[in-house]
């Protein structure tokens, strides 16, 4: 398994989805279930952090009353992470 901090959002999400599928099937031994569950938790935290970082970079365009662009400002995003 690769180091979680080096994974892109898409890679981490794909691995997390695989973990969920394995746990839902229930064909994993208890010790292995605990191990992959813990990795899943770490992957979730990594995805949350990457998503928050991306959202912080997004800006919205400020418009004047006449509909012309006047600049940008931070996007108003409510984070539930």
């Amino acid at each position: 398994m690769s180091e979680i901090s080096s994974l892109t959002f898409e890679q981490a999400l794909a691995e997390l989805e695989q973990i969920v599928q394995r746990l839902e099937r229930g064909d994993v031994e208890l010790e292995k279930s605990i191990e992959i569950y813990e990795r899943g938790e770490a992957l979730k935290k990594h995805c949350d952090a990457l998503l928050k970082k991306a959202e912080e970079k997004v800006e919205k365009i400020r418009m004047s009353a006449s509909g012309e662009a006047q600049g940008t400002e931070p996007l108003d995003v409510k984070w539930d992470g």
Side-chain angles (χ1 to χ4, degrees):
M1 285 187 246
S2 53
E3 179 65 34
I4 291 174
S5 63
S6 67
L7 297 176
T8 65
F9 178 83
E10 291 79 8
Q11 292 168 326
L13 186 58
E15 185 177 339
L16 183 56
E17 288 171 347
Q18 290 173 351
I19 286 172
V20 169
Q21 289 172 359
R22 287 183 71 190
L23 291 173
E24 285 178 342
R25 280 194 313 260
D27 59 356
V28 182
E29 295 178 8
L30 180 60
E31 286 300 316
K32 187 66 174 176
S33 292
I34 293 169
E35 180 184 320
I36 63 175
Y37 178 85
E38 290 172 346
R39 182 158 175 94
E41 280 293 311
L43 287 163
K44 180 190 174 297
K45 287 179 184 178
H46 181 65
C47 286
D48 287 344
L50 291 174
L51 186 57
K52 182 174 171 89
K53 188 175 179 180
E55 287 174 343
E56 289 173 352
K57 292 180 180 180
V58 174
E59 295 182 333
K60 65 181 175 183
I61 299 173
R62 220 180 9 211
M63 305 297 275
S64 68
S66 63
E68 295 179 22
Q70 289 187 317
T72 61
E73 61 188 57
L75 183 65
D76 299 326
V77 175
K78 302 256 190 257
W79 181 253
D80 293 332

